[in-house]
Amino acid sequence: MEFTRLVGTRRSIRWFKSWEPVARESIQRILEHTRWTTCPGNLQPWRAIVVYRDELSEEDRDLLLKADNWQGAHVQAPVWIYWYADIEAARPEAFVRNTHDLLDVGAIPAAYGWARDTIKAAIQEGVETPEGMASIQEILHNMPPEVSAMMAYSETVGACAVSTLAAFNEGLGTCLHTIARPSFQDKVKQVLGVPERFIPVWNQLVGVPAESMAAGGQRPRQPFEETFFWGRYGQPMERDDKVVEQLTIDGLLQAPAPLPQRWEELRFLTRMYGYPED
Ligand SMILES: Cc1cc2nc3c(=O)[nH]c(=O)nc-3n(C[C@H](O)[C@H](O)[C@H](O)COP(=O)(O)O)c2cc1C
């Protein structure tokens, strides 16, 4: 799908065809896309464990579902991708290694002051970086583990955002959930064989949507002018109507939820899966 329409068409899908398999190749393609997410220092702290629901023992499956409070979408989705952040991958030493690799491939320019020794001195000894280069000494020298944790976590969230778009690009439905309520996090780590230091980020449910791809229309968003500002906070960036018109034609801006048929669609899905009707 063309990028603009893809972004406008993605919805959090909460009804899946529980019985319809998802090809392993599709999941690989999603993850191959996610691998290219940007992040500081090329740290790539995300780790994902792909779980096919029907390959789990009944005991593990029920534990993972219970950890997410048996949310309907989780029960129905045949594939669960558990996203974790590895704090070790966001330690200053990793930044040194990975930025050296970036230098070696000509990604960060020596012309701006980037050099192997300069990176090391900034991170290991807190030496001020030359003008033109990032002030990495202020963030990375003596960086406490809590900051690495925050960095690993936030960068993994970025990867999840790419991964949701990649799933839609595969023609699949997807929704992010929390991995588990706090009291279940350790048990889930055990089932998945995840090291203790990993920080739970999101569980990405993937499957063939049982609701229409429009899923009732585009979900509410804050007004553009209350979200984006020009020059300084409080001065709204005004929208150009012509841009809005073109983006509507291109499929970014679509009919807002709820579409007229949405309630009937929800009634049907509720009945089909045997959930209580109000
Ligand atoms: C990180 C994250 C966690 C979420 N967790 C849940 C969840 O546990 N249950 C749920 O029904 N939806 C969950 N959602 C979906 C959001 O509620 C959804 O993104 C929101 O309704 C906006 O709709 P849209 O994604 O269709 O545009 C989550 C979304 C994100 C990004």
Side-chain angles (χ1 to χ4, degrees), residues 14-33:
R14 293 190 176 82
W15 298 88
F16 293 95
K17 290 184 180 173
S18 188
W19 60 90
E20 196 123 339
V22 171
R24 192 189 175 285
E25 291 77 7
S26 290
I27 300 298
Q28 182 183 340
R29 273 196 292 268
I30 292 169
L31 299 176
E32 296 270 9
H33 282 75

Side-chain angles (χ1 to χ4, degrees), residues 10-12 14 68 71 175-178 202 219 221:
R10 188 210 54 78
R11 314 265 185 275
S12 287
R14 293 190 176 82
D68 191 25
Q71 288 198 63
C175 186
L176 294 170
H177 276 193
T178 40
W202 304 115
R219 278 70 195 263
R221 287 294 186 266

